[in-house]
Amino acid sequence: MRVLVAEDEQVLAELVATGLRRAGFAVDTVYTGDAALAYLGLHDYDVVVLDRDLPRVHGDEVARELVASAARTRILMLTAASSMEDRVEGLDLGADDYLGKPFEFPELVSRVRALRRRSARPVPPLLERQGVRLDTVRRTAERDGRDLDLSPKEFSVLQILLEADGAPVSAEELLERAWDAHADPFTGAVRVCMSKLRSKLGEPALIRTVQGVGYAL
């Protein structure tokens, strides 16, 4: 759900980030290797899309440090060098997947989704609870057969609540997993999104506020 794009070509980085956001991910972008290491140390990412030729700190070193830290973050390495030797070297550094430039964007999204599934506990493609049915592959949601027409952010929040299987999820965890690093924790973004989600789910109300803890479905 949360992806870091580390790519020194800023236009490409923002294009990738925009496309991944449309696919439902929370995305941060950095343009240097030292910034990538700083963000990886601050936030819990599912996947890092890592350009191999980053300035300041090389992408190879970023991969080495991430692997050495035993983080659960999966590495999708990008590079203009796409020979067999380059792919083997990248994978030997600890990358989980490798994609040469130029690439087709649907393939990038598909690979990120596959890596995200490997970074988390197994989750069935269909999540169902109390009449709510969420298809995480087709990214559709319905309640009692009625299409919910959710925004990407609302879909992500509902998915997190369904994955919790009735256990409460704190606003802090929702903010960490469904929003990017630019989200201000004091803006009430979670509360506003939750209000819209409750409205779309309709009556009877399904999401309850657990005082002092968070939200549960």
Side-chain angles (χ1 to χ4, degrees), residues 51-114:
D51 179 32
R52 195 169 180 187
D53 297 315
L54 289 173
R56 298 187 188 170
V57 176
H58 197 272
D60 289 0
E61 184 59 29
V62 174
R64 287 191 192 96
E65 293 198 26
L66 186 58
V67 171
S69 72
R72 72 180 185 89
T73 305
R74 300 296 182 176
I75 302 171
L76 173 57
M77 190 169 279
L78 298 179
T79 183
S82 55
S83 68
M84 185 270 289
E85 291 80 7
D86 290 310
R87 291 196 298 273
V88 169
E89 186 176 359
L91 293 170
D92 283 347
L93 286 167
D96 297 280
D97 201 355
Y98 196 102
L99 192 58
K101 299 178 183 177
F103 52 83
E104 295 294 331
F105 194 76
E107 181 181 6
L108 172 66
V109 173
S110 179
R111 287 173 182 259
V112 168
R113 281 182 175 148

Side-chain angles (χ1 to χ4, degrees), residues 2 4 6 28-45 48 54 56-57 62 65-66 181:
R2 189 157 189 185
L4 177 66
D28 296 321
T29 54
V30 293
Y31 314 115
T32 62
D34 57 340
L37 287 173
Y39 269 61
L40 288 164
L42 286 172
H43 305 289
D44 184 19
Y45 292 99
V48 55
L54 289 173
R56 298 187 188 170
V57 176
V62 174
E65 293 198 26
L66 186 58

